[in-house]
Amino acid sequence: MNVKHTPTAIVHKGQKGGTTGCGTDTTIHSTHWTNTSEKITCDKNGCKN
């Protein structure tokens, strides 16, 4: 499952309510995050690699 940051439209590896592959905490401003099946668009280590 991937998670999308709605204000920036960047898709990260991970899921809502946890931490993304690049280390972003999705519990902070949780309304800005949504689970998605879209392709990962984050270029940071952990998400892209």
Side-chain angles (χ1 to χ4, degrees):
M1 179 67 63
N2 297 328
V3 64
K4 183 176 187 176
H5 186 242
T6 52
T8 61
I10 296 174
V11 180
H12 298 266
K13 180 179 180 181
Q15 62 185 3
K16 184 175 179 175
T19 305
T20 66
C22 62
T24 305
D25 186 353
T26 64
T27 61
I28 298 172
H29 301 294
S30 62
T31 57
H32 292 185
W33 297 94
T34 181
N35 287 324
T36 183
S37 59
E38 294 178 42
K39 184 177 177 243
I40 295 170
T41 58
C42 177
D43 289 330
K44 296 180 182 175
N45 285 340
C47 280
K48 197 67 170 178
N49 301 335

